[in-house]
Amino acid sequence: MVILGLVFVYLIIINIVTFFTFAIDKRKAKKDKWRISEQALVTLMVIGGAIGGYFGMETLRHKTQKFKFKVARVISFITFIAIIGLAFYLGF
């Protein structure tokens, strides 16, 4: 059960971080400042930040037209489900 709890805490934290990273990048884009790399945004999504990335993209209208991010969204959701499945498997 401890593993399951730790995984859920991790997923909550990584999704919050991912959402706010998208928000920061969107704000920097509007102000024409140094940006967060696309690689960093995709990596955050793939390592568990699928939900945060999805909401960051949709609510902020950020990176929604880029093919790389459309593919990353699908891959990150598959990874997200796999992480939860593994946590349940190891937790019981």
Side-chain angles (χ1 to χ4, degrees):
M1 274 319 231
V2 173
I3 292 173
L4 191 59
L6 291 174
V7 169
F8 283 117
V9 168
Y10 168 76
L11 289 174
I12 289 168
I13 291 169
I14 193 67
N15 279 286
I16 291 169
V17 167
T18 303
F19 177 82
F20 282 108
T21 303
F22 270 85
I24 290 166
D25 189 55
K26 176 70 175 195
R27 185 170 13 127
K28 287 183 174 195
K30 285 183 175 182
K31 294 183 178 186
D32 200 30
K33 291 190 174 188
W34 176 84
R35 306 274 304 278
I36 296 168
S37 71
E38 289 185 351
Q39 182 67 34
L41 295 171
V42 169
T43 300
L44 284 170
M45 290 174 65
V46 172
I47 64 170
I51 304 297
Y54 173 79
F55 282 111
M57 289 172 69
E58 292 301 320
T59 60
L60 303 167
R61 303 301 305 159
H62 191 51
K63 304 288 188 185
T64 57
Q65 300 301 312
K66 292 206 168 215
F67 180 74
K68 180 191 302 187
F69 284 88
K70 290 179 181 181
V71 171
R73 189 185 320 198
V74 172
I75 292 170
S76 65
F77 274 109
I78 292 168
T79 305
F80 185 80
I81 291 168
I83 291 170
I84 291 174
L86 183 63
F88 272 107
Y89 177 76
L90 294 175
F92 294 110

